[in-house]
Amino acid sequence: MVRSVPERDAACAIAQAAAVVGDWWSLLLVRETARGHHRFDELQEELGISRKVLTERLAHLVAAEVLEKVPYQSAPVRHEYRLTPSGRGLLPVLLSMQDWADRWVFGDGSLSGTADEESEQARRAAALLGERLPALELPGHVDGAPVDPVAPAAQAAATVLFCYPATGRPSPLPEGWGDIPGTVGCTLENRLFRDAYEDFRAAGAEVRGVSTQRPDEQRVFAVEEGIPFTLLSDVDLRLAAALRLPVFRAGQALRLKRAVLVVGRDRVVRHVRFPVTDIPEAVREALAVARGLAG
């Protein structure tokens, strides 16, 4: 049963939201299901939570329609827990909390589109090595149709995912954008991957660019720049939540910090570069890793 709130807060949306997901374990369960952990034993292992508390919190989130139980076995019947549309609507909340903590708890309050190599963000990114990217789809720039971030195994031995904050066309960038460390260079990065695209394809790798810009914005940019690969829109932050990618807020929107990942055909992350301080070197490094995977 969803927890009730005091009568004085009956019309307060913040209080109502806190009644649903204000609990520590509830928020972490949303985080873990976004990361691709759906079964009871997986969730218990990831969180180190008691079976009793886990059972209670899962029942609460199902009753609140944040999670839904989906059978994955019939004899005996066993269920896994998946985010509902309502639950996926909480992903920007989680990423906003992550951004706030990176800036104000782990950091000194400075706004940045990058991070120090010894930062908590860099450690989380490095920990992605060996992690499996859960099944998900993002809108592609061509027509907005859903696209798997990982290229089909028959098409490529590896997929290079490069995340970038935003390009300045067609929509203007927020005022003061160039003063935020790590933001400048998104067009350059796209051009460098564009110019090396045939080398990546010859190495058996596919390339995907990812930002939180809308697909229609990405489409205009891709046409103007002759981008031959798919640009993916993580406007709903599904990929960012699945991998806990570093983000920052600028222009009232969450943006991905620049990062480069190489993912094998088995969906396992084989290479991570974050922070990216030398864009040309990051492109060359990704190509070398892709060639190694193909070999």
Side-chain angles (χ1 to χ4, degrees):
M1 179 179 294
V2 178
R3 294 177 179 85
S4 61
V5 298
E7 185 176 350
R8 66 178 181 275
D9 286 325
C12 177
I14 296 174
Q16 295 291 346
V20 176
V21 291
D23 175 83
W24 161 281
W25 292 119
S26 295
L27 283 169
L28 295 186
L29 281 168
V30 174
R31 182 195 72 182
E32 291 306 313
T33 48
R35 293 180 63 206
H37 302 125
H38 302 296
R39 298 182 181 178
F40 189 96
D41 290 341
E42 289 178 328
L43 293 168
Q44 184 182 28
E45 181 178 357
E46 288 295 322
L47 295 175
I49 186 175
S50 73
R51 296 182 70 85
K52 178 178 183 295
V53 173
L54 179 55
T55 299
E56 292 173 350
R57 295 306 188 276
L58 287 172
H60 167 71
L61 292 174
V62 170
E65 298 183 348
V66 171
L67 297 178
E68 61 179 339
K69 294 175 66 174
V70 179
Y72 69 88
Q73 178 179 302
S74 58
V77 176
R78 296 187 185 278
H79 295 87
E80 58 186 19
Y81 297 86
R82 300 272 177 173
L83 289 172
T84 63
S86 169
R88 289 192 293 274
L90 286 167
L91 299 184
V93 177
L94 292 187
L95 270 295
S96 292
M97 293 176 67
Q98 175 184 287
D99 170 50
W100 178 84
D102 282 333
R103 183 175 177 180
W104 297 103
V105 178
F106 296 130
D108 61 4
S110 301
L111 176 61
S112 178
T114 184
D116 187 89
E117 291 184 357
E118 301 301 320
S119 66
E120 294 296 330
Q121 297 172 69
R123 280 191 276 274
R124 287 200 308 269
L128 288 172
L129 279 174
E131 289 290 311
R132 187 179 182 85
L133 179 62
L136 58 87
E137 293 180 325
L138 303 178
H141 80 269
V142 176
D143 56 7
V147 177
D148 189 333
V150 180
Q155 177 182 327
T159 302
V160 178
L161 296 174
F162 71 96
C163 305
Y164 59 95
T167 58
R169 301 193 318 280
S171 299
L173 294 168
E175 184 177 354
W177 180 263
D179 297 328
I180 303 173
T183 57
V184 176
C186 298
T187 296
L188 169 65
E189 187 173 20
N190 272 273
R191 288 173 177 172
L192 290 174
F193 275 107
R194 175 198 66 190
D195 295 344
Y197 183 61
E198 290 306 318
D199 293 330
F200 279 99
R201 296 297 297 127
E206 187 51 77
V207 176
R208 306 264 203 256
V210 189
S211 76
T212 57
Q213 292 174 287
R214 301 191 314 269
D216 59 303
E217 294 178 304
Q218 294 176 327
R219 186 179 311 120
V220 173
F221 174 79
V223 170
E224 289 183 354
E225 291 290 334
I227 302 299
F229 46 80
T230 301
L231 299 180
L232 298 174
S233 173
D234 197 22
V235 67
D236 294 325
L237 300 170
R238 294 190 66 191
L239 182 66
L243 298 178
R244 290 187 294 179
L245 296 173
V247 298
F248 69 105
R249 184 175 295 279
Q252 302 305 312
L254 285 172
R255 319 276 181 163
L256 296 175
K257 295 189 177 185
R258 199 179 317 281
V260 179
L261 289 76
V262 181
V263 184
R265 57 162 52 104
D266 56 1
R267 308 186 72 84
V268 173
V269 177
R270 304 295 183 181
H271 167 77
V272 180
R273 181 161 183 150
F274 177 83
V276 177
T277 55
D278 184 333
I279 296 174
E281 174 58 27
V283 175
R284 290 191 292 268
E285 184 180 52
L287 179 57
V289 172
R291 284 173 171 156
L293 288 176

